[in-house]
Amino acid sequence: MPRLRNTLSSCTSRILISGVGRFLLCFTFLYLLLLQICRYTFYRDPTSAFFDPSKAYRHIYSEQRQRQADAYLQAANVSTTNDVQLSGPEVTLCLGLATVQRPGEQYVRSAYASLMEGLTKDDREHIYSVLLIGHADPERHPIYHEPWLRHLSDKLLTYNTSDTKQMELLRSWEQTQDYRKKAIFDYTYLLETCIETGAPGIAIVEDDIIAVAGWYPRTIAALDIVKSKGSEWLYLRLFYTEQFLGWNSEFWPTYLFASVSIVLAVAAMLLILRHLHFHTSISAWLILTACFVCTPACIALFFIAGRMSMLPLTPGVHEMPNFGCCAQGFVFSSTTAGRVVGKLKEKEVGFVDMILEEWANEEKLTRFAIVPSLLQHIGGRSSKGDDFKPTEFMSTADTIFNFGFELYRQDGARITHPVDA
């Protein structure tokens, strides 16, 4: 046994003092340092192994934006209709929002105010806003008699009570909590109302969002880009969540090919250097170590660091045919909106975003998204009754979140984002 220990000790010493040993020691030190940097840098990336939910879900910009919206709402409650700017004769965008009573906080107050706060006079003149109170008896909603509701909306929409058959259905859906039918009805009702305005663009947003200041000019600029592409498009997404934009298994052949190519490139580079000038210093063992230990370790770190950290979406308009989620905010052209109404009425039941995705896949319709997201989801409870499966930190509804949105910064009247730099 002493002889074996001496032999192992001798081998270990030789490895450590050899070129390969020194190389491995340096690589290990740098690799551990990189792991710590990744830990402190990529905690906001839900596609990363370093993701830390206890820090990542902090509301930074959205809290600031919510305070601005609440102050705006308080001013609107004490103003008169003569003090408030509404739409003008030339409307560019119809903005539709449906709201129902939720247990606890009514997010619609902050949602609607954030959409209105910060608009210039010219912006507001080009927006026709429609707010639907989604109850057969609108008095059920706590906001129904609040002054801001009539001061800030161009059209306060309720159901057509003269259609007795439809009203019976709506009451039945409310009593049985058949959200999948009622949500489809509300969405088509809003779309049809917006189509009647003649606005070329129609935005439908949910009542549990916060909008970035300056959302309207960014949306119009994005729409111009989408139209210039010339393809048949279904929607422009104002919200997406990054948690489904990771290294999806569908693309594993691409990832494997890229990884093997990198290993071969490293091997080729080292062999060329060894042949030209460094025959003694670049040994065969060093090449094997670099190719089959160090390079795979670096590739692994690249993947575990997360796709949104390693290959972030650049600012602007992107095609997003998959994994975007959810229905917090879509913009349609007036022409497409009519087709959307037809498709939703055909389906009658379901979730709007899932129906649209299925339809787009069938008909090869292009879908776009604005990066960074212009909306943030703030609702901790779903109005559809399909959430509350609590995780360690929050409800399922809480995890519908855009992490990039919280990086917006307001410097006076200027809104900036790190990816804009």
Side-chain angles (χ1 to χ4, degrees), residues 98-100 132-135 159 170 181-191:
T99 181
V100 296
L132 168 64
I133 304 293
H135 290 284
Y159 297 128
L170 288 167
K181 287 182 180 177
K182 188 173 179 300
I184 296 295
F185 178 86
D186 288 350
Y187 210 89
T188 56
Y189 192 32
L190 268 179
L191 279 172

Side-chain angles (χ1 to χ4, degrees), residues 305-325:
R307 185 170 181 265
M308 289 293 96
S309 297
M310 295 293 97
L311 300 174
L313 296 171
T314 56
V317 177
H318 290 261
E319 286 191 29
M320 195 174 285
N322 298 301
F323 316 119
C325 186

Side-chain angles (χ1 to χ4, degrees), residues 10 12 29 71 86 105 157 163 182 198 229-230 242 277 316 341 349-350 355 388 411:
S10 176
T12 303
F29 172 78
L86 296 177
E105 184 179 358
L157 191 62
D163 189 338
K182 188 173 179 300
K229 292 182 181 293
E242 300 98 330
H277 300 290
V341 168
V349 59
I355 293 172
F388 240 82
D411 180 14

Side-chain angles (χ1 to χ4, degrees), residues 58-71:
R58 289 175 183 166
H59 293 258
I60 304 170
Y61 175 72
S62 57
E63 278 194 359
Q64 175 188 353
R65 190 68 184 133
Q66 192 158 357
R67 289 193 296 270
Q68 293 172 338
D70 292 344

Side-chain angles (χ1 to χ4, degrees), residues 381-395:
R381 286 179 177 268
S382 171
S383 62
K384 303 176 182 66
D386 60 348
D387 67 318
F388 240 82
K389 299 172 184 174
T391 64
E392 182 180 353
F393 294 99
M394 58 196 69
S395 71

Side-chain angles (χ1 to χ4, degrees), residues 17 25 27 29 38 47 65 105 111 143 182 280 294-295 371:
I17 63 175
L25 281 175
F27 175 80
F29 172 78
C38 289
T47 70
R65 190 68 184 133
E105 184 179 358
I143 70 167
K182 188 173 179 300
T280 55
C294 301
T295 303
V371 178

Side-chain angles (χ1 to χ4, degrees), residues 61 212 218 372-374 404-409 415-417:
Y61 175 72
V212 65
R218 289 178 184 237
S373 175
L374 301 186
F405 183 90
E406 299 304 326
L407 301 180
Y408 278 111
R409 294 288 181 271
I415 303 297
T416 62
H417 194 281

Side-chain angles (χ1 to χ4, degrees), residues 40-241:
Y40 287 105
T41 305
F42 302 140
Y43 68 91
R44 296 187 62 84
D45 181 357
T47 70
S48 171
F50 303 101
F51 179 62
D52 185 350
S54 64
K55 297 178 181 178
Y57 285 101
R58 289 175 183 166
H59 293 258
I60 304 170
Y61 175 72
S62 57
E63 278 194 359
Q64 175 188 353
R65 190 68 184 133
Q66 192 158 357
R67 289 193 296 270
Q68 293 172 338
D70 292 344
Y72 180 82
L73 200 70
Q74 289 175 10
N77 272 328
V78 298
S79 65
T80 65
T81 53
N82 294 329
D83 299 328
V84 179
Q85 175 73 34
L86 296 177
S87 65
E90 295 183 9
V91 174
T92 303
L93 186 74
C94 178
L95 174 65
L97 185 153
T99 181
V100 296
Q101 180 189 18
R102 294 170 182 262
E105 184 179 358
Q106 306 305 309
Y107 305 116
V108 63
R109 297 186 180 103
S110 298
Y112 195 79
S114 72
L115 291 162
M116 297 293 113
E117 198 279 334
L119 293 175
T120 66
K121 180 180 179 182
D122 185 63
D123 290 342
R124 187 62 186 90
E125 284 182 347
H126 286 86
I127 300 172
Y128 187 89
S129 64
V130 181
L131 202 156
L132 168 64
I133 304 293
H135 290 284
D137 177 10
E139 301 270 352
R140 281 186 53 196
H141 204 303
I143 70 167
Y144 187 63
H145 290 293
E146 294 178 5
W148 69 265
L149 193 61
R150 289 158 182 81
H151 291 175
L152 299 182
S153 61
D154 292 289
K155 186 177 183 67
L156 179 60
L157 191 62
T158 56
Y159 297 128
N160 180 11
T161 54
S162 63
D163 189 338
T164 54
K165 185 177 289 187
Q166 187 61 69
M167 291 303 294
E168 286 175 10
L169 263 180
L170 288 167
R171 291 190 183 95
S172 171
W173 293 338
E174 287 184 26
Q175 290 168 2
T176 59
Q177 298 186 339
D178 197 340
Y179 302 106
R180 296 201 304 158
K181 287 182 180 177
K182 188 173 179 300
I184 296 295
F185 178 86
D186 288 350
Y187 210 89
T188 56
Y189 192 32
L190 268 179
L191 279 172
E192 288 174 326
T193 303
C194 274
I195 290 170
E196 290 173 1
T197 68
I202 296 173
I204 305 295
V205 301
E206 296 200 344
D207 68 343
D208 55 356
I209 57 92
I210 284 287
V212 65
W215 69 270
Y216 173 73
R218 289 178 184 237
T219 299
I220 296 303
L223 278 174
D224 290 339
I225 293 172
V226 168
K227 292 171 186 175
S228 70
K229 292 182 181 293
S231 59
E232 187 176 8
W233 59 284
L234 176 56
Y235 62 64
L236 173 66
R237 181 182 285 279
L238 302 182
F239 172 88
Y240 62 92
T241 178

